[in-house]
Amino acid sequence: MNRKNKNTFMQMLPYIILVGVIICVLFLYGGTQTKIYELNTGELLNYLNSGEVSEMTITPKSSESVYYINGKLDSYKDNEYFTVKVIGEQMDVVTNYAETHDLDLYDTNKDPGSSNLLYIVVNILPIVIISFLAYYLFIKLAAGNNKSMDFGRSRAKLSEDGGKVRFSDVAGLKEEKEEVAELIDFLKNPKKFQKLGARIPKGVLLVGPPGTGKTLLAKAVAGEANVPFYYISGSDFVELFVGVGASRVRDMFKQAKQTAPCLIFIDEIDAVGRQRGSGIGGGHDEREQTLNQLLTEMDGFGANEGIIIIAATNRPDVLDPALLRPGRFDRQVTVSLPDAKEREEILKVHARGKIFSKDVNLTAISQRTPGFSGADLENLLNEAALLAVRRNKNEITMDEVDEATDRVLMGPAKTSRKITEKEKRLVAIHESGHAVIGIKLADAQEVHKITIIPRGVAGGYTMMLPKEEKIGIMTKEELECQITGLLGGRASEKLFLNATTTGASDDFKRATRIARSMVTEYGMSELGPMQLEEKTEGVFLGRDYNKQKNFSDAIALEIDKAVRKIIEDCYNKATKILKENEKLVKEIADALVENETLTKEQIECIVETGKICPVEPETSAEPTMVKLREIAKAKKIKNYNKMTREELEKAIEELDK
């Protein structure tokens, strides 16, 4: 019996016992009522004489010379009996009468009253057993009742592995670790702070995108300080009934005080900490009462009681100002997306326990994954390991890492979908247009990969990565280059195929968003350095529901004209670049039609020589799919583009033999 089934059985046990007790009581006391008729000695003799006695039992009371005769007559029903009390000499008459008439219809039993043990077993033991079962059942039901009615009890759980996580398990986040190092020192040695009258922050708010390691950092603080780690989600406080959440907050702090010093971690605190009394549709009494209680508890307990709260959110803009004031969450730590160096450290942590081939370079992977969070990188290596297992390999190669990167970004490749030659050519020209813009524009991003294999909703895509990682500041020229690169696909279709397709719709969406932000937010247009639009997020309306507009209808027309001008200028620029590099566009498109996927090295080779470089000798045991196809092409194997890896390897091996 597994643990889950065992727990279910233990929960059902009291009810099973209750049913058993009810059945026993009904069986013992709730059956058909027995009818007993009292006879005298004369009546018994008459019945004996007429032969109507079918059963008879004599129970002597030796101490009193009294006999009790129980029995049944032929005319009685199953629940009818007679009883006769016979004293001394009368019993001799009954016995003599029975012997005279050769009656052998009765049995003589020993008096049960003469055996103390039998008396206890028959009369006392059932009462003891039923009392014990009733007591056990009462205790179990009382415990179950408490569990089912504990709405006001805290949902915070004591983490079993919170004390095992250390800073060494948290890759990157150097500055963030330094920010929370004081908390560890305080939890270990609070007297050092009390001596100088210092007050440690009561609450620390971790702010950052999803998957950046906020929860892991909080666990590491508890692990380094070696203190209990309570964790709870903000949604666990909110219930249907008003006042339940506030009760849970009180109970949570009550438990924490009993185990202080300790650390409480509240994940997704924006679920309960949103601004009060704002938004469409009125307030939310339960959530607001819960927030009020949380504010009171945080500002209510003493400054040095050893309880520190760490909360995490990716929506700090919707939190109530009272929650962020000094004395509550008075320190904010921004947990940003990792840079290239930090991504390499994260990859090393998640690479533990995995077997990689020699061609896998974690530094190269970190440089090719800008914008990936720690969770994304963990997922990437896990997908690569799953692919290696699926392909029956003994180690993870760069081929699996490349495929896993594409899976994380765009989804799995749809290799079973049949694509016509016309559609393949169209996608190749489209993606080639993106790539050539990226190659020829100085401020454009660097082209790392092009593929026309469908993934997700995309028929193909061009992977373009920044040449250098920045902290988020971009120039007007770089933004214009991004728009130009996005419009390169449509310009290429129009120039070389004289066609307009739906494949560029997402490009237009992204290009228009960048252009409008340049005009209304960044002040990069003829309208001047003004912020004309600001995104506002109502507390109850959700993200990007509306925008605050600080302009008249006349200015709205000017904004539309400015956005259109940026888009048209970039489109004309893309068209001009593609016309000047028509040969390169077609060379890359031809290579894509033939190979379906081009790497950075192959693209550079096409730019320099006009064709893909010859196949170099393999340095690893496992060639990539691109190299296998190049070998198959050189050996003139038919339909090699449609073959799987196993089919290609088998065909090449047969030719070599």
Side-chain angles (χ1 to χ4, degrees), residues 42-61:
E43 290 174 334
L44 175 62
L45 293 176
N46 291 334
Y47 285 130
L48 287 171
N49 187 36
S50 61
E52 294 184 38
V53 179
S54 58
E55 296 179 13
M56 193 169 65
T57 302
I58 301 173
T59 304
K61 293 287 184 179

Side-chain angles (χ1 to χ4, degrees), residues 391 399 402 406 449-451 453 591-592 594-603 612-616 618 622-634 640-641 643 645 648 652:
R391 295 172 179 178
D399 193 14
D402 288 337
D406 293 340
K449 184 178 183 179
I450 315 172
T451 180
I453 298 174
L592 277 172
E594 191 171 350
N595 297 277
E596 294 184 345
T597 301
L598 298 178
T599 63
K600 178 183 177 183
E601 294 76 14
Q602 291 173 323
I603 296 169
I612 296 178
C613 297
V615 179
E616 298 179 359
E618 285 293 336
E622 287 287 342
T624 63
M625 281 294 290
V626 173
K627 292 183 178 180
L628 282 174
R629 285 172 176 161
E630 290 174 354
I631 296 171
K633 180 184 175 183
Y640 65 89
N641 277 329
M643 292 185 179
R645 167 179 285 275
L648 279 172
I652 294 171

Side-chain angles (χ1 to χ4, degrees), residues 487-503:
L487 299 176
R490 167 57 65 84
S492 183
E493 294 173 359
K494 194 74 174 174
L495 277 175
F496 306 115
L497 296 177
N498 194 25
T500 54
T501 70
T502 59

Side-chain angles (χ1 to χ4, degrees), residues 520-537:
T520 61
E521 296 180 40
Y522 308 146
M524 296 179 178
S525 71
E526 297 175 354
L527 296 178
M530 298 173 62
Q531 188 176 48
L532 301 171
E533 271 184 358
E534 181 181 358
K535 293 179 182 178
T536 60
E537 299 179 9

Side-chain angles (χ1 to χ4, degrees), residues 157-166 169 215-231 263:
K157 299 178 181 178
L158 183 62
S159 176
E160 297 179 358
D161 60 346
K164 299 178 182 178
V165 181
R166 297 290 186 272
D169 300 314
T215 302
L216 189 64
L217 182 62
K219 284 186 177 182
V221 173
E224 291 287 343
N226 195 25
V227 296
F229 178 77
Y230 293 93
Y231 66 96
L263 190 148

Side-chain angles (χ1 to χ4, degrees), residues 19 27 29 44 143 159 173 221 320 382 419 485 530 539:
V19 172
F27 179 78
Y29 303 105
L44 175 62
S159 176
L173 304 181
V221 173
D320 194 281
N382 185 62
I419 305 174
M530 298 173 62
V539 176

Side-chain angles (χ1 to χ4, degrees), residues 424-582:
K424 184 181 290 188
R425 182 71 183 176
L426 180 61
V427 176
I429 288 291
H430 181 98
E431 299 302 333
S432 180
H434 288 307
V436 170
I437 298 296
I439 293 169
K440 293 301 179 179
L441 278 180
D443 292 324
Q445 294 181 331
E446 193 173 23
V447 181
H448 276 252
K449 184 178 183 179
I450 315 172
T451 180
I452 59 173
I453 298 174
R455 288 183 182 272
V457 297
Y461 75 97
T462 301
M463 181 187 291
M464 301 178 70
L465 303 176
K467 296 174 182 177
E468 295 179 354
E469 284 199 53
K470 298 183 178 181
I471 59 175
I473 298 176
M474 298 188 70
T475 64
K476 179 181 178 181
E477 290 73 20
E478 290 173 336
L479 291 172
E480 288 177 344
C481 285
Q482 280 193 17
I483 297 174
T484 305
L486 289 168
L487 299 176
R490 167 57 65 84
S492 183
E493 294 173 359
K494 194 74 174 174
L495 277 175
F496 306 115
L497 296 177
N498 194 25
T500 54
T501 70
T502 59
S505 61
D506 187 62
D507 298 333
F508 297 157
K509 178 181 177 181
R510 294 161 60 191
T512 305
R513 185 187 299 123
I514 295 172
R516 191 168 188 87
S517 296
M518 289 174 65
V519 175
T520 61
E521 296 180 40
Y522 308 146
M524 296 179 178
S525 71
E526 297 175 354
L527 296 178
M530 298 173 62
Q531 188 176 48
L532 301 171
E533 271 184 358
E534 181 181 358
K535 293 179 182 178
T536 60
E537 299 179 9
V539 176
F540 301 102
L541 296 180
R543 188 184 301 272
D544 297 340
Y545 184 85
N546 60 351
K547 290 186 178 182
Q548 183 178 355
K549 299 180 179 180
N550 301 317
F551 50 82
S552 64
D553 292 340
I555 297 298
L557 179 60
E558 296 297 323
I559 291 173
D560 292 339
K561 290 180 179 179
V563 172
R564 182 185 294 275
K565 185 177 185 303
I566 292 175
I567 296 293
E568 288 179 349
D569 289 346
C570 291
Y571 183 81
N572 293 332
K573 187 176 182 179
T575 303
K576 181 182 178 182
I577 293 172
L578 294 177
K579 280 183 179 178
E580 295 173 353
N581 297 275
E582 179 178 354

Side-chain angles (χ1 to χ4, degrees), residues 17 20-22 24-25 28-29 120-138:
I17 295 174
V21 171
I22 293 173
C24 291
V25 171
L28 292 174
Y29 303 105
I120 293 173
V121 170
V122 173
N123 296 282
I124 299 177
L125 186 60
I127 298 175
V128 172
I129 294 175
I130 292 175
S131 300
F132 174 78
L133 292 177
Y135 175 77
Y136 176 78
L137 186 63
F138 174 79

